[in-house]
Amino acid sequence: MTKEERYQALLPQAEALCEGETDMIAKMANISALLHREMGFWWTGFYRVVPHPQPLSFQERGAVRAVSPSLERRGGQGGEAELVLGPFQGPVACTRIAYGRGVCGTAWKERRTIVVPDVEQFPGHIACSSESRSEIVVPVFEGEEVIAVLDIDSRDLATFDDTDRLWLEKIAACLPG
Ligand code: SME
């Protein structure tokens, strides 16, 4: 089976797993298991956008406002939240990623899928595992808001391309609701 055919077979399964389920963690857990097993990825999982545990101080709020007024307007999205490790399959990974940091934080900030053929060439890449060589990160939208990112790592260079982007974006679109 080609990669395209494998994704084609997988999409209805992903849709069925999400249909009628409202718990986002449960859906993310099943989607990461499905993708990991069927596609044979090295690391497959989600980072969720989660508010910082501590409210920002008055001074910190001022700093956020100064750096990014648009983030401040969007209720602190990015300024007062970070990515926190969610359901995943594969080796242990870093638990928190700041807005705009690494491939995941950049996909969140830029609100678009990022394909990285060689992680060593991506400035600021966060190496959770020294074995990861290429990566794709797909934002998960709920309406206009990025609520999570789907992150997939490979031990080979240049594993991901537009086919992965297309199908993984369809799969990520099953999650909200
Ligand atoms: N490489 C990611 C960090 C997450 S791990 O790959 C699981 C990044 O640069 O954001």
Side-chain angles (χ1 to χ4, degrees), residues 10-88:
L10 205 142
L11 182 63
Q13 296 178 58
E15 285 169 343
L17 287 170
C18 291
E19 209 178 289
E21 178 52 70
T22 54
D23 190 280
M24 191 55 77
I25 303 265
K27 288 187 279 190
M28 288 176 173
N30 264 338
I31 295 295
S32 54
L34 179 74
L35 278 170
H36 196 73
R37 193 183 165 103
E38 299 301 322
M39 302 301 291
F41 295 133
W42 162 246
W43 195 94
T44 313
F46 292 89
Y47 282 88
R48 295 184 308 130
V49 175
V50 175
H52 285 309
Q54 302 288 324
L56 294 182
S57 69
F58 181 76
Q59 286 86 350
E60 286 169 325
R61 255 173 217 283
V64 166
R65 201 171 299 132
V67 169
S68 180
S70 68
L71 291 181
E72 174 73 12
R73 273 199 302 279
R74 276 193 283 134
Q77 169 82 295
E80 296 176 6
E82 62 192 332
L83 292 174
V84 179
L85 183 63
F88 73 97

Side-chain angles (χ1 to χ4, degrees), residues 43 47 93-94 97 101-105 124-128 135 151 153:
W43 195 94
Y47 282 88
C94 32
I97 298 175
R101 292 293 171 88
V103 188
C104 292
H125 167 259
I126 300 164
C128 291
E135 181 164 2
D151 178 18
D153 288 19

